[in-house]
Amino acid sequence: MNLEVSIGGLKMKNPVMTASGTFGYGEEYEEFLDLNLLGAIVVKGLSLQPKEGNPPPRVVETAAGMLNAIGLQNIGIERFVSEKIPFLRTLNTPVIVNFFGDSVDEYSEAASRLDGVEGIHALEMNISCPNKQAGWAAFGTDPKVTCEVVSAVRKRTTLPLIVKLSPNVTDIALMARVAEDSGADALSLINTLTGMAIDIRTRSPKLANIRGGLSGPAIKPVAVRMVYDVFKAVKVPLVGMGGIMNADDAVEFIMAGASAVAVGTANFINPSVAGEIALGIAAFMEREGIGDIRLLKGAAHAV
Amino acid sequence: MNLEVSIGGLKMKNPVMTASGTFGYGEEYEEFLDLNLLGAIVVKGLSLQPKEGNPPPRVVETAAGMLNAIGLQNIGIERFVSEKIPFLRTLNTPVIVNFFGDSVDEYSEAASRLDGVEGIHALEMNISCPNKQAGWAAFGTDPKVTCEVVSAVRKRTTLPLIVKLSPNVTDIALMARVAEDSGADALSLINTLTGMAIDIRTRSPKLANIRGGLSGPAIKPVAVRMVYDVFKAVKVPLVGMGGIMNADDAVEFIMAGASAVAVGTANFINPSVAGEIALGIAAFMEREGIGDIRLLKGAAHAV
Amino acid sequence: MSRAFRAEIRENLPLNRNHKLLTLAPLDPMSEPQPGQFYMVEVHEGFDPLLKRAFSLFRRTPQGMQLMYRLQGRGTAILGNMRPGSVINMLGPLGRGYPLPAAGETPIIIAGGIGIASVFSLIETVPARAHVIYGARTRDDLFMLNELKEISKGLSVCTDDGTDGQQANVLQMLDQVLGAHPQELADAVVYACGPRPMLRALSVMTKAKDIKAYLSLEEHMACGIGACLGCVVRAKDTGTAAEDKDRQGTYQRVCKEGPVFDADGIVWE
Amino acid sequence: MSRAFRAEIRENLPLNRNHKLLTLAPLDPMSEPQPGQFYMVEVHEGFDPLLKRAFSLFRRTPQGMQLMYRLQGRGTAILGNMRPGSVINMLGPLGRGYPLPAAGETPIIIAGGIGIASVFSLIETVPARAHVIYGARTRDDLFMLNELKEISKGLSVCTDDGTDGQQANVLQMLDQVLGAHPQELADAVVYACGPRPMLRALSVMTKAKDIKAYLSLEEHMACGIGACLGCVVRAKDTGTAAEDKDRQGTYQRVCKEGPVFDADGIVWE
Ligand SMILES: Cc1cc2nc3c(=O)[nH]c(=O)nc-3n(C[C@H](O)[C@H](O)[C@H](O)COP(=O)(O)OP(=O)(O)OC[C@H]3O[C@@H](n4cnc5c(N)ncnc54)[C@H](O)[C@@H]3O)c2cc1C
Ligand SMILES: Cc1cc2nc3c(=O)[nH]c(=O)nc-3n(C[C@H](O)[C@H](O)[C@H](O)COP(=O)(O)OP(=O)(O)OC[C@H]3O[C@@H](n4cnc5c(N)ncnc54)[C@H](O)[C@@H]3O)c2cc1C
Ligand SMILES: Cc1cc2nc3c(=O)[nH]c(=O)nc-3n(C[C@H](O)[C@H](O)[C@H](O)COP(=O)(O)O)c2cc1C
Ligand SMILES: Cc1cc2nc3c(=O)[nH]c(=O)nc-3n(C[C@H](O)[C@H](O)[C@H](O)COP(=O)(O)O)c2cc1C
Ligand code: FES
Ligand code: FES
């Protein structure tokens, strides 16, 4: 049975990755699962300089989901390379570094700093974060800006470049095409939906940051739809995510058109789940008599 | 205690309305609640001609939500006026007619046909439906098209005109301003988020229509955020909806900036709920010692 | 009287590995149900699962009512774990049940699998009059055989694997029954509930033989009370026959115009 | 050994109208917990509520462990309805507990309300050594008074309404205890868990009096294991003191660097 997939040049032993920001730097989960079971580990989003993030409260539970406003807290690329990479290099699972910046220059510099670091196998570029130069609108919501930032990053790295799309747009297929045309080797989707919650006793937003990103099972239908639409629109492989809780959900994304999937919020509910999903997909294929995972990709488009 | 609100000229005894498409033509719920408890009844979306809608399956349950692809099935304006209005006129609750068309002309004609019918107190214009003339992209996702269709309808009706916004856009505040500038007396939001679900056993979409609209508690954080953002952007009153299950949720929308709220999917789970919410809001105000509902409007913006 | 009511679970009895029988005592006034009608049952604590589930009235008991259900997915799993004393929200009785046979008619009542849940109370309503045909995958999935024998005129059982009754399907059984009682053929009325392919084949067969047939259909439901238009099937409703150009039928709501439809009017898509 | 394990509910005992005591028997190997550590407990059947809930280790029992909890919202309501025999998924023990007092030190252990759940096992760990101050709204919200008397050196109780102990708050009680035992003042170490305003006031008071204090904090959590960065408070961590410009502190994770923090390092925002 073949579970191997290739995402923009990165070979993975199976299609199961972790979603950035939900798996720390990998080591936090070591005691809960065999990290070598995973197709790839995607670490918390990094920036050139360490970032402190938003004040608490940062997380709020919602119906079948959660809002987070972590504010991209991270230890910065330098500390990541010196403190976290050594552990990650002991694994035989590829490491994908998620990164961001608050200007095109910062993105480019981060990419070039990460390029060529041993133990980093691919980059995932988070374009859902605010653009300092453009009044803090997200890079990933304006096609022109997306084109500019992705093209700039593309010039600075030879690593497989996955662009992670924001779902908070009118036309996700258009944004996908723009990212592809600008040099993305693969696309991942979806990032969180922007949401908020209000505490009616205090009459104020529950998150200190007011707005946050909605994730978890609640958003799965939106995510599956976007993967389905983007699959029709581009040629590059897709990494599907958004509310994946078990192997069935992962298979659903693959049938929608994803070559690989990422497990996010589910890691919080069950820290062993990513490994269970990798095994569960194999069990599903066994049951259904499918020899190669690639036969499932986009299967829902056949009708 | 004052619960009265006014939505674009329409006076309501309390802020609780029903969401279009979830309350039939009103009569379906007569046995489950006192319809006179409601601030207003919004009926299933109507078009000039009857519409058959999509083939089944039309509904799919998702985590804390549901997808629907009813396809705007309705009996048409003529039959509505002759068969449904007589019952609705026996109530002392205002009736808001939700309507749509597949071209600017159809919208205009529908509006003018509804204008002046006794027993219709306001119109809610659904612009989330596909535009035949523009390759079936929704009217509510392109500012130019939104401006054109709302302006055209505005000329054909003297009734209070509520424009119902689609959440499937990059910038909801922009769309809200466009609708306001084009003549809307009020805005309602949100309509459903586009989503889909795949049956992994049959490997095909669960809805015959492939995509459907996501509603229910799952989408509440997105809806509250959009009401909050639109409240800052426009002057006209807002009708908030999306996942309201109880009086607390309704109060949350009011604090985000809604003048009134609409109860949708919750009617399916508990057909008496809309009345319970009207009473529940009053009980909340009583408990918190608030004499006028308008004091709660936008309270979460104070911070 | 509103059809929304609360009921207390009295018993939640396992029938086999994946079927249970739920006995409920209504805590609010409840309307009298007709055979073939159904209920919407709440199965959540939080908002997931969200929607109520549809279950036929299995039978009326002195204390209340019974539902018979198959463990299918998440909702029925939760229901299966509920214990006596729990209180659940329900709606019903909903929809249109089976039109009862006229005095001279011979009811032939057919159940495939859990379809027995829908027709059992109909059989009770015409005691010792109905030819009952009951098919299931295997012996273990056949329930209430003794009761059925008592209340029917004749009971024909079949299983896919031959572990009980004949190794046959309900269509073959119907052929046999009709063959064995040719004199009744003219006045036969078929009633059936079961998997869609079975119902579809039955509608073809009864049409060919010109036998009146009423079939109970299933569709995914949100409201159960006719408001959401989620549960439609294409069929001809006598009420709206005028609009029925080209015998295409119109979308009828399973929860309101159904779940029981005249087989002749159903447009299988 | 992974800190993910399943546990079977042995008892779910009501203590008063809104507090319960849960006794659990682990079904998988479980690490030995330290006082002040906590567990994440699953409270759903479907996906709503979604996240696990945090509860302190109340005490270790021969059969397993106990959690004491207050019925707060949806999750604890569901937990409150769970019956013996149910199996739940848990993570733990998590976080850093209370640093134990050195030989010469006098522990003063303070609980406000349900904060008793966090400090009870600490009191057990230093039998007959701790001055315990226990405050609650009202008499009915005070639990385990007999046990506390037995295992502490002295127990001072206060309630907001004066229905038991003194009508005072725990700060006033701390003042009294310190006044009554001046010789111990120098070697006192305060441990406390309770509502945030109480902890904040305690940190001001202990700082003013130059008394070492460890406080157990709460923040909303998603993962409980340090991965999501959701549960931060601003504090100074000895480990990262270098980055600690201007004594501003950095964001520390309650679930990993905490829940117990040195009062001196917490930056109250
Ligand atoms: C009028 C009517 C009467 C019924 N009577 C009975 C009965 O007496 N006994 C019995 O065991 N079953 C009966 N069913 C089927 C029963 O409703 C489904 O088995 C049940 O909804 C499955 O829920 P679940 O959460 O376990 O499954 P899931 O597959 O997890 O359900 C997911 C969603 O699909 C819907 N769904 C799944 N299967 C069906 C189905 N066959 N029909 C309609 N909706 C479905 C559920 O309601 C839910 O919204 C009836 C269905 C209808 C429409
Ligand atoms: C380290 C730690 C130890 C704790 N120990 C105990 C204990 O031993 N006994 C006890 O009764 N309570 C304890 N709590 C508080 C307990 O976690 C909350 O009361 C519980 O999460 C409420 O859940 P709910 O669903 O009933 O409330 P809801 O208000 O419905 O919960 C909604 C969301 O907010 C979170 N939340 C609500 N209150 C708190 C809170 N005070 N702290 C953190 N998250 C919260 C919930 O986890 C959930 O994600 C502890 C909290 C922490 C952080
Ligand atoms: C707590 C948290 C932190 C996240 N941080 C990041 C991040 O740093 N970079 C990023 O691209 N996405 C981040 N995400 C988004 C996830 O990677 C993922 O796209 C999203 O949560 C949807 O998947 P899920 O529903 O499975 O969680 C974060 C999500 C959560 C819940
Ligand atoms: C079954 C169904 C049918 C709907 N039909 C319409 C419609 O005809 N016109 C419209 O403007 N909105 C329609 N909606 C959208 C609702 O009015 C509402 O905007 C949306 O469901 C969000 O609210 P909720 O989460 O409370 O259901 C429909 C929603 C559902 C679930
Ligand atoms: S289930 Fe809503 S109309 Fe039938
Ligand atoms: S709860 Fe996730 S880091 Fe603490």
Side-chain angles (χ1 to χ4, degrees):
Chain A
M1 193 160 59
N2 180 35
L3 279 160
E4 262 178 48
V5 297
S6 167
I7 297 294
L10 174 70
K11 292 235 175 324
M12 299 173 13
K13 53 183 164 296
N14 69 53
V16 180
M17 322 188 336
T18 59
S20 176
T22 66
F23 210 70
Y25 299 111
E27 59 193 21
E28 291 86 345
Y29 284 85
E30 200 196 359
E31 66 173 298
F32 298 106
L33 77 165
D34 177 358
L35 295 173
N36 290 326
L37 278 178
L38 299 175
I41 291 174
V42 183
V43 297
K44 173 71 189 162
L46 292 169
S47 48
L48 271 179
Q49 302 303 321
K51 259 195 83 142
E52 177 162 62
N54 291 325
R58 287 179 173 185
V59 296
V60 172
E61 190 181 55
T62 66
M66 62 176 279
L67 288 165
N68 87 79
I70 307 300
L72 297 165
Q73 176 178 343
N74 76 93
I75 57 173
I77 291 178
E78 292 316 317
R79 274 184 64 199
F80 172 75
V81 171
S82 62
E83 295 173 23
K84 308 296 179 183
I85 285 275
F87 166 76
L88 291 168
R89 284 183 56 190
T90 66
L91 308 174
N92 69 19
T93 293
V95 171
I96 301 176
V97 169
N98 180 287
F99 74 101
F100 66 95
D102 63 13
S103 65
V104 174
D105 283 354
E106 255 193 58
Y107 268 103
S108 309
E109 288 203 25
S112 98
R113 176 69 192 85
L114 292 163
D115 195 56
V117 174
E118 217 183 311
I120 299 181
H121 303 87
L123 300 184
E124 181 181 59
M125 184 175 168
N126 174 7
I127 56 170
S128 297
C129 51
N131 181 351
K132 200 159 68 178
Q133 287 145 321
W136 303 105
F139 286 94
T141 54
D142 179 337
K144 278 202 228 77
V145 179
T146 304
C147 173
E148 187 191 353
V149 69
V150 175
S151 305
V153 163
R154 175 72 289 177
K155 294 199 191 87
R156 303 291 286 274
T157 183
T158 55
L159 287 169
L161 178 62
I162 307 170
V163 174
K164 183 164 178 180
L165 302 176
S166 164
N168 302 296
V169 297
T170 307
D171 187 347
I172 191 80
L174 169 69
M175 301 309 294
R177 276 190 302 264
V178 167
E180 179 182 46
D181 293 344
S182 310
D185 297 312
L187 303 174
S188 60
L189 65 165
I190 60 172
N191 214 314
T192 53
L193 293 171
T194 309
M196 76 180 283
I198 295 167
D199 184 331
I200 64 168
R201 282 169 312 110
T202 63
R203 301 183 200 177
S204 51
K206 286 187 178 173
L207 292 169
N209 188 53
I210 300 179
R211 297 174 194 79
L214 183 64
S215 65
I219 69 169
K220 194 184 72 169
V222 174
V224 171
R225 191 270 297 180
M226 289 189 166
V227 169
Y228 186 91
D229 285 349
V230 168
F231 182 73
K232 284 190 202 286
V234 300
K235 293 207 178 57
V236 294
L238 308 181
V239 182
M241 74 194 83
I244 295 178
M245 299 300 284
N246 51 46
D248 283 3
D249 293 338
V251 170
E252 187 174 355
F253 274 87
I254 292 169
M255 290 180 174
S259 297
V261 296
V263 180
T265 301
N267 294 306
F268 305 154
I269 287 65
N270 170 7
S272 322
V273 76
E276 291 168 11
I277 289 176
L279 299 173
I281 293 175
F284 174 85
M285 290 169 58
E286 186 80 47
R287 259 195 328 271
E288 302 267 317
I290 297 155
D292 192 323
I293 182 89
R294 286 169 301 186
L295 295 172
L296 290 178
K297 187 174 78 179
H301 291 264
V303 277
Chain B
M1 193 161 58
N2 180 34
L3 279 159
E4 263 178 47
V5 296
S6 166
I7 297 294
L10 175 70
K11 292 235 174 325
M12 298 172 15
K13 54 183 162 297
N14 68 54
V16 181
M17 321 187 339
T18 58
S20 177
T22 67
F23 210 68
Y25 299 110
E27 58 192 21
E28 292 87 344
Y29 284 85
E30 199 197 359
E31 67 172 298
F32 298 106
L33 77 164
D34 176 358
L35 295 172
N36 290 328
L37 277 178
L38 300 174
I41 292 174
V42 183
V43 297
K44 174 70 188 162
L46 293 169
S47 47
L48 270 180
Q49 301 304 321
K51 260 195 85 146
E52 177 162 62
N54 291 325
R58 289 179 171 186
V59 298
V60 172
E61 190 182 56
T62 66
M66 62 175 279
L67 288 165
N68 88 78
I70 306 302
L72 297 165
Q73 176 179 341
N74 76 91
I75 57 174
I77 291 178
E78 292 316 318
R79 274 184 63 199
F80 172 75
V81 171
S82 61
E83 294 173 22
K84 307 297 177 182
I85 284 276
F87 167 75
L88 291 167
R89 283 182 58 190
T90 66
L91 308 174
N92 69 20
T93 294
V95 171
I96 301 176
V97 169
N98 180 288
F99 74 101
F100 67 94
D102 63 13
S103 66
V104 174
D105 282 353
E106 255 193 56
Y107 268 103
S108 308
E109 287 203 28
S112 98
R113 176 67 190 86
L114 292 163
D115 196 57
V117 174
E118 215 183 311
I120 299 181
H121 303 89
L123 300 184
E124 182 182 57
M125 184 177 169
N126 174 7
I127 56 171
S128 296
C129 51
N131 181 351
K132 200 160 67 175
Q133 287 146 321
W136 303 104
F139 286 93
T141 54
D142 179 337
K144 276 200 231 79
V145 179
T146 303
C147 172
E148 188 191 350
V149 70
V150 175
S151 306
V153 163
R154 175 70 290 176
K155 291 198 195 89
R156 303 290 285 273
T157 182
T158 54
L159 287 169
L161 177 63
I162 308 171
V163 174
K164 184 163 177 182
L165 301 176
S166 163
N168 302 295
V169 297
T170 307
D171 187 346
I172 190 81
L174 169 67
M175 300 309 294
R177 275 191 302 265
V178 168
E180 179 181 45
D181 293 344
S182 309
D185 297 312
L187 303 174
S188 60
L189 65 165
I190 61 175
N191 214 313
T192 53
L193 293 169
T194 310
M196 76 180 282
I198 295 167
D199 184 330
I200 65 168
R201 285 168 310 109
T202 63
R203 300 184 201 175
S204 52
K206 286 186 177 173
L207 292 169
N209 188 53
I210 300 179
R211 296 173 195 79
L214 182 64
S215 65
I219 69 168
K220 194 184 72 170
V222 174
V224 171
R225 191 270 296 178
M226 288 188 166
V227 169
Y228 186 90
D229 285 349
V230 168
F231 181 73
K232 283 189 201 291
V234 299
K235 293 209 178 57
V236 293
L238 308 181
V239 182
M241 75 194 81
I244 295 178
M245 297 301 283
N246 50 46
D248 283 4
D249 293 339
V251 170
E252 188 175 354
F253 274 87
I254 292 169
M255 289 180 175
S259 297
V261 296
V263 179
T265 301
N267 294 307
F268 305 154
I269 288 62
N270 171 5
S272 323
V273 76
E276 291 168 12
I277 289 176
L279 299 173
I281 294 175
F284 174 85
M285 289 169 58
E286 186 80 48
R287 261 197 324 273
E288 303 267 318
I290 297 153
D292 192 325
I293 183 85
R294 287 169 300 186
L295 295 172
L296 291 178
K297 186 173 79 179
H301 290 265
V303 277
Chain C
M1 189 163 44
S2 153
R3 286 172 299 169
F5 65 99
R6 290 164 309 137
E8 187 180 310
I9 296 182
R10 283 294 158 80
E11 196 179 37
N12 198 353
L13 189 76
L15 298 175
N16 70 3
R17 77 202 173 290
N18 65 347
H19 286 78
K20 300 191 90 171
L21 183 65
L22 190 67
T23 304
L24 294 161
L27 301 179
D28 301 309
M30 195 190 89
S31 314
E32 204 53 41
Q34 302 301 317
Q37 285 193 301
F38 69 100
Y39 293 87
M40 294 293 279
V41 179
E42 190 173 82
V43 292
H44 55 259
E45 272 188 305
F47 294 135
D48 184 58
L50 183 67
L51 302 174
K52 287 189 161 75
R53 268 51 182 165
F55 299 101
S56 306
L57 169 76
F58 171 62
R59 81 177 154 195
R60 214 52 179 93
T61 68
Q63 301 82 35
M65 55 194 274
Q66 292 183 320
L67 310 178
M68 185 192 277
Y69 62 102
R70 197 163 72 98
L71 296 172
Q72 165 80 15
R74 302 200 307 152
T76 45
I78 291 174
L79 195 61
N81 286 329
M82 287 187 154
R83 302 194 208 188
S86 303
V87 172
I88 51 182
N89 291 309
M90 302 180 59
L91 298 180
L94 302 173
R96 288 197 213 152
Y98 300 100
L100 297 187
E105 291 178 325
T106 305
I108 304 180
I109 303 181
I110 307 177
I114 186 67
I116 193 69
S118 164
V119 295
F120 189 90
S121 63
L122 174 65
I123 303 168
E124 282 186 316
T125 307
V126 289
R129 275 182 65 194
H131 289 283
V132 174
I133 300 173
Y134 185 11
R137 290 235 178 114
T138 184
R139 169 193 198 138
D140 213 35
D141 288 347
L142 291 164
F143 308 108
M144 310 275 160
L145 293 183
N146 291 335
E147 288 85 342
L148 285 168
K149 240 171 257 161
E150 264 172 44
I151 58 176
S152 62
K153 182 166 176 189
L155 172 65
S156 315
V157 166
C158 60
T159 52
D160 295 351
D161 64 1
T163 46
D164 200 346
Q166 296 187 36
Q167 183 161 9
N169 65 36
V170 296
L171 279 102
Q172 298 165 315
M173 300 302 286
L174 176 58
D175 244 348
Q176 286 180 24
V177 168
L178 293 172
H181 309 271
Q183 75 291 1
E184 289 175 356
L185 189 72
D187 296 321
V189 196
V190 167
Y191 298 89
C193 183
R196 185 165 286 223
M198 167 191 132
L199 296 180
R200 186 172 183 157
L202 268 177
S203 78
V204 173
M205 181 167 162
T206 52
K207 197 166 198 165
K209 296 192 195 279
D210 202 23
I211 303 175
K212 216 194 291 181
Y214 296 102
L215 310 179
S216 179
L217 300 184
E218 295 186 353
E219 242 323 318
H220 284 222
M221 292 183 173
C223 71
I225 59 170
C228 74
L229 308 180
C231 64
V232 298
V233 294
R234 194 181 285 282
K236 274 164 287 180
D237 186 39
T238 31
T240 58
E243 292 170 33
D244 240 345
K245 337 158 186 107
D246 310 323
R247 301 181 57 82
Q248 292 282 306
T250 55
Y251 282 132
Q252 307 282 320
R253 295 164 294 186
V254 170
C255 72
K256 193 93 177 180
E257 285 80 43
V260 175
F261 290 92
D262 187 332
D264 199 35
I266 301 171
V267 183
W268 301 91
E269 304 196 292
Chain D
M1 188 165 46
S2 154
R3 287 172 297 170
F5 65 100
R6 289 164 308 136
E8 187 181 310
I9 296 182
R10 282 294 159 79
E11 197 179 38
N12 198 353
L13 189 76
L15 298 175
N16 69 3
R17 78 204 171 287
N18 65 346
H19 286 77
K20 300 190 91 172
L21 182 66
L22 189 68
T23 304
L24 294 161
L27 302 179
D28 302 308
M30 194 191 88
S31 314
E32 205 51 42
Q34 302 301 316
Q37 284 191 302
F38 69 101
Y39 293 87
M40 294 292 280
V41 179
E42 191 172 82
V43 292
H44 55 259
E45 272 188 304
F47 294 135
D48 184 58
L50 183 67
L51 303 173
K52 286 189 162 74
R53 267 53 181 165
F55 299 101
S56 306
L57 169 75
F58 172 63
R59 80 178 155 195
R60 212 58 175 90
T61 66
Q63 303 80 35
M65 55 194 275
Q66 290 182 321
L67 310 177
M68 185 191 278
Y69 63 101
R70 197 164 72 99
L71 296 172
Q72 164 81 15
R74 301 200 307 151
T76 45
I78 291 174
L79 196 61
N81 286 330
M82 287 186 152
R83 304 194 205 190
S86 304
V87 172
I88 50 183
N89 290 309
M90 301 182 57
L91 299 179
L94 302 172
R96 288 197 214 151
Y98 300 100
L100 297 188
E105 292 178 327
T106 305
I108 304 179
I109 303 181
I110 307 178
I114 186 67
I116 193 69
S118 165
V119 296
F120 189 91
S121 64
L122 174 66
I123 303 169
E124 283 186 313
T125 309
V126 290
R129 275 180 65 193
H131 289 283
V132 175
I133 300 173
Y134 185 10
R137 290 234 181 116
T138 184
R139 169 194 198 139
D140 213 37
D141 288 347
L142 292 163
F143 308 107
M144 310 275 161
L145 293 182
N146 290 336
E147 289 84 342
L148 284 168
K149 239 171 254 160
E150 265 173 44
I151 58 176
S152 63
K153 184 166 173 188
L155 172 64
S156 314
V157 167
C158 58
T159 50
D160 294 351
D161 64 1
T163 44
D164 199 348
Q166 295 187 36
Q167 183 160 11
N169 65 37
V170 296
L171 279 103
Q172 296 165 315
M173 301 301 286
L174 176 57
D175 243 349
Q176 285 180 24
V177 169
L178 293 171
H181 309 270
Q183 75 291 1
E184 289 174 356
L185 189 71
D187 296 321
V189 198
V190 166
Y191 299 89
C193 185
R196 185 165 285 221
M198 166 191 133
L199 297 179
R200 185 172 186 160
L202 267 177
S203 79
V204 172
M205 180 166 162
T206 53
K207 197 166 198 167
K209 295 193 195 280
D210 203 22
I211 303 175
K212 216 193 293 179
Y214 296 103
L215 310 180
S216 180
L217 300 185
E218 296 185 353
E219 241 324 317
H220 285 220
M221 294 184 171
C223 71
I225 59 169
C228 73
L229 308 179
C231 63
V232 299
V233 294
R234 194 180 285 282
K236 275 164 286 179
D237 185 39
T238 33
T240 58
E243 291 170 33
D244 238 345
K245 335 161 189 107
D246 309 324
R247 303 181 57 83
Q248 292 282 305
T250 55
Y251 283 132
Q252 307 282 319
R253 295 165 293 187
V254 169
C255 72
K256 192 93 178 182
E257 285 80 43
V260 176
F261 290 93
D262 187 331
D264 200 33
I266 301 170
V267 183
W268 301 92
E269 302 194 291

